[in-house]
Amino acid sequence: IFIYKMIYQPAEDSYFLAEIVSNYLKKLDKNQKENIKILDMGTGSGIQSENCIKNNIKAQNITAVDINEEATGYVKKLNINFVKSNLFSNINKNQHFNLIIFNPPYLPKHKFDKLQDTTGGKKGDETIIRFIKQLKSHLANDGICFILTSSYTPGDKWKKAAEKNNFSKKKAAEKKLFQEKLFVWKLTFY
């Protein structure tokens, strides 16, 4: 039980992102589901990978990545590939994915919250910017990336990084939570 407290536990943001990913996967035909390659970046509890399996994606077509090796305890039961990595640093340079899902740490550093699973850097967008700069090397030409941000996440720099790296961004959905809004963005190549 102790191991579970050391990784990010699913919360409203995780379930919101899973809902958007489910809607996308349900629209794929059988052949697309058979051949899709999925990367679950920052897998934590494995909720996004588990969601993909529930939507008839083969476990062997999913790769889960987390900087925290404790996440292996969760994802091993799903029989998916796990890579301990700081973003894409340990992902094979020639490996491309049709769908990349990322619920990043997106909050600014706060004196009461400095954990790497929720804090995306001093301003909150640093992890997202690094991710976007590396994304182009691993997203298939016709691939899609779903990434979650918050109204507390600064938007200008990561959006400029997306444009600079030839990504179009479209807001797929938004959800209001108390004083915060969550956004799921769909990134694709121009």
Side-chain angles (χ1 to χ4, degrees):
I1 294 175
F2 179 68
I3 190 172
Y4 302 146
K5 293 181 180 179
M6 300 178 89
I7 63 172
Y8 185 74
Q9 296 297 305
E12 291 89 352
D13 55 351
S14 306
Y15 297 115
F16 178 48
L17 180 57
E19 178 185 333
I20 302 309
V21 171
S22 283
N23 291 340
Y24 169 75
L25 293 174
K26 286 175 185 170
K27 294 176 185 172
L28 300 181
D29 64 35
K30 186 178 179 183
N31 186 51
Q32 289 171 310
K33 284 188 177 186
E34 286 280 319
N35 295 303
I36 194 168
K37 298 293 181 202
I38 297 176
L39 180 69
D40 176 8
M41 181 62 74
T43 192
S45 68
I47 183 175
Q48 302 306 329
S49 294
E50 192 169 7
N51 180 47
C52 290
I53 292 169
K54 286 179 183 175
N55 280 281
N56 301 312
I57 303 299
K58 293 182 207 170
Q60 64 262 28
N61 288 3
I62 303 168
T63 300
V65 173
D66 206 291
I67 194 169
N68 183 351
E69 199 165 344
E70 301 296 335
T72 59
Y74 272 106
V75 298
K76 275 187 180 176
K77 68 181 179 185
L78 300 174
N79 293 318
I80 61 176
N81 306 308
F82 178 79
V83 179
K84 181 182 183 291
S85 183
N86 184 349
L87 298 177
F88 294 98
S89 62
N90 292 328
I91 302 295
N92 183 319
K93 292 189 188 317
N94 298 320
Q95 200 168 7
H96 294 89
F97 299 91
N98 308 102
L99 176 61
I100 297 178
I101 308 161
F102 191 26
N103 182 3
Y106 54 76
L107 296 174
K109 195 174 196 177
H110 188 274
K111 64 182 178 180
F112 297 114
D113 185 3
K114 298 177 185 177
L115 300 175
Q116 67 184 14
D117 62 349
T118 54
T119 302
K122 188 174 182 180
K123 295 181 181 177
D125 62 354
E126 292 89 340
T127 300
I128 295 170
I129 292 168
R130 286 190 309 117
F131 169 80
I132 288 173
K133 287 178 180 177
Q134 297 171 29
L135 177 64
K136 64 182 175 183
S137 299
H138 296 282
L139 188 65
N141 288 337
D142 60 349
I144 291 173
C145 172
F146 286 113
I147 186 167
L148 187 136
T149 64
S150 158
S151 52
Y152 295 131
T153 311
D156 291 346
K157 285 188 179 179
W158 81 259
K159 288 176 183 175
K160 285 179 184 172
E163 289 171 15
K164 186 176 179 181
N165 287 279
N166 297 320
F167 291 110
S168 68
K169 61 198 172 321
K170 180 182 175 188
K171 190 186 331 173
E174 71 178 70
K175 182 176 190 171
K176 184 151 177 54
L177 295 176
F178 307 108
Q179 297 178 353
E180 178 184 21
K181 276 188 183 175
L182 298 176
F183 306 98
V184 174
W185 298 90
K186 178 182 176 183
L187 302 179
T188 55
F189 284 113
Y190 284 122

